[in-house]
């Protein structure tokens, strides 16, 4: 009985002391799946996104989970790093494990109502997975960031909704032609938008996670 207890204590200690990676930036690529320019490009996209929304997104790419469940690893790592603001819990963690061929979008408490499990699943399956299968990791991650940005801006639409647009266009195009002929001489109005510069150093803000999000493989 004594030896059983010691074995149980050892295993419990082993799993409770997970050695988490150091948070070195918005993109932590320990599996070397990106080149320097790709990592820099994604980091800049995430910094612009944070400046505009206050939401923090971090991409972490590891060689292996070593038997750990990616969902458990995700929310523990998100909490350890404190991704997102403490009072908003508005963090997102995109996790990729190279040799396990698994990925996950881990969503902080404060964004679960916006970046829902359903939407996270769609991003994993429809945006990341097709690119990852072609070993275009940068392209898949770029699409994921774009989709998360669209969700925050209220511009995101699912694949099913997007498939309806050609039919809508076919129906509305004749009406658009009639409309255009009635407004000749009226100039269109266009606007310009500028993004703020001045990138700053990065660190987690004390945000927390509870397991929201979606996982997948490629």
């Amino acid at each position: 009985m004594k030896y059983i207890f010691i074995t149980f204590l050892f295993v419990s200690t082993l799993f409770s002391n997970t050695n988490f990676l150091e948070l070195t930036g918005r993109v932590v690529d320990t599996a070397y799946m990106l080149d320097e320019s790709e990592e820099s490009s994604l980091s800049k996209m995430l910094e612009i996104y944070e400046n505009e929304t206050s939401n923090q997104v971090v991409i972490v790419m590891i060689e292996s989970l070593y038997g750990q469940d990616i969902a458990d690893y995700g929310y523990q790592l998100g909490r350890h790093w404190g991704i997102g603001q403490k009072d908003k819990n508005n963090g997102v963690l995109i996790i990729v494990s190279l040799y396990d061929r698994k990925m996950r979008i881990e969503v902080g408490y404060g964004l679960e109502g916006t970046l829902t499990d359903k939407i996270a699943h769609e991003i994993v399956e429809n945006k990341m997975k097709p690119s990852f299968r072609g070993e275009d990791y940068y392209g898949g991650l770029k699409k994921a960031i774009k989709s998360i940005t669209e969700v925050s801006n209220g511009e995101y639409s699912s694949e099913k909704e997007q498939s309806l647009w050609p039919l809508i266009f076919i129906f509305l195009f004749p009406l658009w032609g009639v409309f255009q002929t009635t407004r000749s001489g009226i100039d269109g109005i266009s606007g310009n938008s500028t993004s703020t510069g001045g990138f700053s150093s990065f660190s987690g803000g004390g945000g927390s996670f509870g397991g929201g999000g979606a996982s997948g493989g490629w």
Side-chain angles (χ1 to χ4, degrees), residues 2 31 37 49-50 64 69 74 77 89 139-140 156 160 183 198 212 215:
K2 177 181 178 182
S37 63
Y49 174 72
E50 183 179 341
S64 175
D69 179 75
L77 181 62
N89 296 312
Y156 175 83
K160 184 179 294 185
R183 62 187 300 269
S215 305

Side-chain angles (χ1 to χ4, degrees), residues 78-217:
R79 286 181 170 183
H80 178 75
W81 280 350
I83 304 303
Q85 297 179 9
K86 187 174 183 180
D87 58 335
K88 295 183 178 180
N89 296 312
N90 55 344
V92 177
L93 199 59
I94 301 176
I95 310 152
V96 179
S97 179
L98 177 59
Y99 297 136
D100 299 298
R101 300 179 70 85
K102 292 181 180 179
M103 63 190 85
R104 178 169 177 81
I105 297 177
E106 190 73 35
V107 183
Y109 284 120
L111 294 178
E112 288 180 357
T114 305
L115 184 55
T116 63
D117 293 356
K118 177 178 180 294
I119 293 175
H121 175 75
E122 290 176 354
I123 295 173
V124 167
E125 292 295 316
N126 302 328
K127 306 299 182 182
M128 297 177 68
K129 182 183 288 188
S131 295
F132 275 45
R133 283 181 171 172
E135 297 186 359
D136 181 12
Y137 307 118
Y138 170 73
L141 292 167
K142 186 176 180 180
K143 290 175 184 176
I145 295 171
K146 182 176 183 293
S147 295
I148 292 172
T149 302
E150 289 173 347
V151 171
S152 298
N153 295 336
E155 300 169 350
Y156 175 83
S157 61
S158 66
E159 294 291 316
K160 184 179 294 185
E161 290 171 337
Q162 291 174 17
S163 66
L164 294 176
W165 277 109
L167 296 176
I168 295 173
F169 178 78
I170 291 171
F171 175 75
L172 292 179
F173 183 74
L175 297 178
W176 175 252
V178 173
F179 174 73
Q180 285 291 88
T181 59
T182 61
R183 62 187 300 269
S184 58
I186 302 177
D187 295 327
I189 301 173
S190 62
N192 296 320
S193 60
T194 57
S195 59
T196 58
F199 300 117
S200 58
S201 59
F202 176 78
S203 64
S208 190
F209 293 74
S215 305

Side-chain angles (χ1 to χ4, degrees), residues 65-85:
L65 291 160
Y66 299 105
Q68 286 185 280
D69 179 75
I70 193 168
D72 291 339
Y73 178 79
Y75 87 82
Q76 289 182 40
L77 181 62
R79 286 181 170 183
H80 178 75
W81 280 350
I83 304 303
Q85 297 179 9

Side-chain angles (χ1 to χ4, degrees), residues 26-27 34-47 138 199:
R26 289 178 173 81
V27 179
L34 303 169
D35 63 33
E36 187 175 340
S37 63
E38 291 171 340
E39 183 174 332
S40 177
S41 174
L42 294 176
S43 296
K44 184 169 290 187
M45 289 173 63
L46 294 177
E47 189 162 6
Y138 170 73
F199 300 117

